[in-house]
Amino acid sequence: MTAPATPGGQGFVKVCALEEVPADGALGVEIDDTPVAIVRSGEDVYALNDICSHAEVSLSEGEVYNGTIECWLHGSCFDLRSGKPTNPPATQPVATYKVKVEGGDVYVSLGDA
């Protein structure tokens, strides 16, 4: 799914319906040319860059647990709030983005989180 960002990337754009994001799972979307993982963990929704900082594979294909998303290739986990890796082999964080849920839809801003 691709959603166009507003000029400057500061505004929120609708990326999907909340029901499209699996419970304790992730959905990969694209805003302009930026791959974004929309993640549900319990009642919370997060948005992170969808590319692992270690192996450049899609994080949205990994498992979500304990407030992290795990890269399916080498097992690095990233904190959903900060994007920081919680274990090796990844050492660099992934970007996080602002998220809001309104009327059953998920909106993301690529501006500073």
Side-chain angles (χ1 to χ4, degrees), residues 5-95:
T6 56
Q10 298 302 314
F12 283 89
V13 294
K14 179 181 168 184
V15 294
C16 64
L18 181 60
E19 66 186 22
E20 293 178 63
V21 186
D24 292 315
L27 174 70
V29 300
E30 196 169 285
I31 301 173
D32 284 343
D33 292 325
T34 302
V36 177
I38 307 300
V39 183
R40 283 177 69 179
S41 179
E43 297 297 314
D44 298 319
V45 180
Y46 303 91
L48 301 91
N49 189 284
D50 195 23
I51 304 299
C52 176
S53 62
H54 169 255
E56 296 189 16
V57 297
S58 178
L59 291 176
S60 61
E61 296 177 27
E63 294 192 32
V64 175
Y65 58 92
N66 295 334
T68 65
I69 188 165
E70 180 180 38
C71 177
W72 60 269
L73 187 59
H74 294 119
S76 287
C77 292
F78 296 86
D79 184 279
L80 296 174
R81 289 180 178 84
S82 68
K84 293 180 182 176
T86 60
N87 63 300
T91 59
Q92 298 298 311
V94 294

